[in-house]
Amino acid sequence: MKKLIVANWKLNPLTLAEAKELAGKIDQAPLHTAVLCPPTIFLGEISYPILGAQDVFWKAKGPYTGQTSVAALKSLGVKYCIVGHSERRVLGETDEEIQGKIEILLENGIVPVLCIGYGTTVAEDDMEVIDVLHGQLEAALSGGINRKKVVVAYEPVWALSAGPGQPKKTPTDEHIEKVALFIKTKYGIDKVLYGGSATSVNAQEILAQHHIDGLLVGGASLLPDDFNKIINTKI
Ligand code: PGA
């Protein structure tokens, strides 16, 4: 079965030339569905079959200096948009903003990739994890949002890598599977991705999980050889 692999380039690369070079090295017709999310400013210049954004503003237009509208993303052919990433939550993004972003993306036919996650250290207590995820999901999906159209990425904060070639530990397969099943059965979500130190080494094992529909890849998405292996992983 085809999985969805989303590349979150974060604040990399630093120049347009490097971004174009990186995109040019990524397999254009991989086994799985691959989405590249470069920094917003490069979106119009990157040519890849499916593009995603790393963020969007929740208001359609107006006096909001520095923000990026959903219409602008749409006009650049963007099909997916990450929201609620832990690296944005820590900068002050609120549940209310996340909910507004999901709403405006759905209204404009862009698939939101809602990131949820817990903890800065390896969590021992699955019940505690479930409690935090429950709160994040309740808040983000309130107000009549069509949940079938939202992709959820489960990213334990402690598992996020420090950058390309610097993966951390990943949760056990049982933990990932349990959380994915919880998200699907409790919230009516169809697609759950896993994110946090996914690499070409662990991709096969994670993607083989029954309830995991793909990966959100940070560090390894900046390494073309690694990322090409991930998007062509045989399961
Ligand atoms: P990582 O990042 O793959 O570098 O851990 C994933 C993410 O933050 O989306």
Side-chain angles (χ1 to χ4, degrees), residues 8 10 85 87 155 159-161 195-198 216-219:
N8 178 10
K10 307 189 181 186
H85 194 284
E87 289 159 6
E155 299 203 302
L160 298 186
S161 84
S197 295
L216 180 54
V217 187

Side-chain angles (χ1 to χ4, degrees), residues 6-10 82 85-87 115 153 155-157 159-164 166-168 194-199 216-222:
V6 180
N8 178 10
W9 285 5
K10 307 189 181 186
I82 297 167
H85 194 284
S86 57
E87 289 159 6
C115 300
E155 299 203 302
V157 179
L160 298 186
S161 84
Q166 301 176 69
K168 295 211 178 115
Y194 167 78
S197 295
T199 65
L216 180 54
V217 187
S221 71
L222 299 166

Side-chain angles (χ1 to χ4, degrees), residues 56-189:
V56 65
F57 194 50
W58 72 94
K59 296 262 197 187
K61 62 177 191 171
Y64 305 107
T65 304
Q67 300 291 354
T68 301
S69 72
V70 71
L73 295 181
K74 208 171 156 183
S75 74
L76 295 176
V78 165
K79 298 285 187 276
Y80 292 82
C81 183
I82 297 167
V83 292
H85 194 284
S86 57
E87 289 159 6
R88 295 204 55 81
R89 290 182 193 256
V90 85
L91 292 177
E93 187 169 77
T94 65
D95 282 329
E96 205 181 2
E97 289 166 4
I98 292 165
Q99 197 266 353
K101 290 176 184 190
I102 293 174
E103 227 163 52
I104 207 163
L105 287 166
L106 289 177
E107 279 164 21
N108 286 274
I110 296 179
V111 179
V113 179
L114 166 65
C115 300
I116 58 169
Y118 167 81
T120 49
T121 56
V122 178
E124 303 288 351
D125 183 351
D126 282 1
M127 285 314 293
E128 210 178 318
V129 176
I130 294 288
D131 252 15
V132 173
L133 301 186
H134 172 75
Q136 290 175 340
L137 285 161
E138 280 295 330
L141 300 173
S142 61
I145 277 173
N146 184 348
R147 298 171 176 205
K148 296 274 171 224
K149 297 203 163 157
V150 177
V151 172
V152 171
Y154 171 51
E155 299 203 302
V157 179
W158 56 262
L160 298 186
S161 84
Q166 301 176 69
K168 295 211 178 115
K169 280 196 169 158
T170 54
T172 62
D173 294 346
E174 295 71 35
H175 174 88
I176 294 176
E177 189 67 349
K178 192 197 282 182
V179 171
L181 184 62
F182 163 77
I183 295 167
K184 287 184 173 182
T185 51
K186 283 269 183 207
Y187 293 93
I189 297 290

